[in-house]
Amino acid sequence: MKVLNSYSKLLNGLIKVFRVIFIICMAAIVLILFFQSVMRYVFNDPQPWCEELALYLSIAVIMCGLGIATRHAEHLQVDVIVRLFSDKTRCLVTAFWAIVSIVIMVVFLIYSIKLMGISNAVSITMPFLKVKHVYLMFPLGAVMMIMFTIESFFRNIIGFKNNGVLPAIPGEEEGGEE
């Protein structure tokens, strides 16, 4: 349990870092798109790099948000059947799906690294930016999801042993998931 708490505290720190990145990227997207609107509709001089940079920043936001959403089980999911189970069984089923998710994310990680390796394209409107740098967000998001899913797996195994009561995530007021 001490190892899980230490690991959870490490993930808390990562979440703080990625929330800052998330906020900076979202603010940049808003400012870039505002600038693009002003240039397009006021000065009749649209800047082509704005849309591409906003797209790349959106990819970064999505991939940073994956881990955060994974940690709190905030992804879209159909859990009608799982909610019919007892708390203990729900923990076991969730732990099983955590393993499946980890395997899928490892495969995604492998292919995204291969994609980065074969990519030699350059951004159309920003020639200083290589597309492989944008593709770097995919392995980063996969690693984050794997890290947070590992935590979920162990929390649910502990919850299974404790008759369906999940251990609280250190630093959170309300404790575990539903």
Side-chain angles (χ1 to χ4, degrees), residues 87-135:
D87 291 340
K88 187 173 180 175
T89 306
R90 189 178 312 147
C91 286
L92 189 61
V93 170
T94 304
F96 170 77
W97 285 112
I99 296 292
V100 172
S101 297
I102 290 170
V103 169
I104 291 169
M105 291 299 9
V106 166
V107 171
F108 180 76
L109 175 65
I110 291 166
Y111 280 106
S112 63
I113 290 172
K114 285 181 182 178
L115 180 64
M116 281 180 54
I118 62 172
S119 173
N120 57 5
V122 177
S123 169
I124 296 171
T125 60
M126 298 175 290
F128 59 88
L129 181 64
K130 294 184 178 182
V131 176
K132 73 167 53 176
H133 297 132
V134 176
Y135 289 163

Side-chain angles (χ1 to χ4, degrees), residues 47-53 56 122-128:
Q47 302 297 309
W49 60 268
C50 292
E51 292 177 37
E52 191 172 3
L53 184 56
Y56 295 155
V122 177
S123 169
I124 296 171
T125 60
M126 298 175 290
F128 59 88

Side-chain angles (χ1 to χ4, degrees), residues 155-170:
R155 286 183 65 239
N156 278 287
I157 290 299
I158 292 169
F160 176 74
K161 290 179 181 177
N162 294 331
N163 291 321
V165 178
L166 293 174
I169 297 174

